[in-house]
Amino acid sequence: MRCDRGVELPIYIWFDGMELSWESADMRLTASEVTAIREEIGTLDPDAEVYLYGSRVDDSARGGDIDLLVVSETLGFREVLRLRTRILDRVGWQQLDLLVRRRDQLDEPMAAIAQETGIKL
């Protein structure tokens, strides 16, 4: 697999008899978690961009919360609360940091770091 940074990365795939899972060397989410995140965000804003950042993009780290930057021009406070619940219902209840910003807010320090160091889902 080639990441956005132009580097070849290995993908680890396994099947536990019930679910196909995968991790790449640049992201520690299963295929079903990525699908759930994309689908739930796409349901509320099909034009949104999603970036995974933080410890889940470091293959040498273990554990850690799911840190997501969602770039959306339409999501309001209520939609963000609904989105958080819908994602956690699908991926399992765990620590989820959901940073939602409009394009004109991407120069804020946390949003800039998330977009620069994150992986676009």
Side-chain angles (χ1 to χ4, degrees), residues 17-38:
M18 296 178 64
E19 181 179 10
L20 180 67
S21 300
W22 62 270
E23 289 182 359
S24 71
D26 66 336
M27 173 175 49
R28 289 184 299 112
L29 289 178
T30 65
S32 61
E33 289 171 328
V34 171
T35 299
I37 291 166
R38 286 180 180 163

Side-chain angles (χ1 to χ4, degrees), residues 88-101:
L88 291 174
D89 280 347
R90 291 193 54 191
V91 302
W93 283 80
Q94 56 190 296
Q95 183 64 38
L96 171 66
D97 291 334
L98 195 56
L99 181 64
V100 180
R101 295 292 183 264

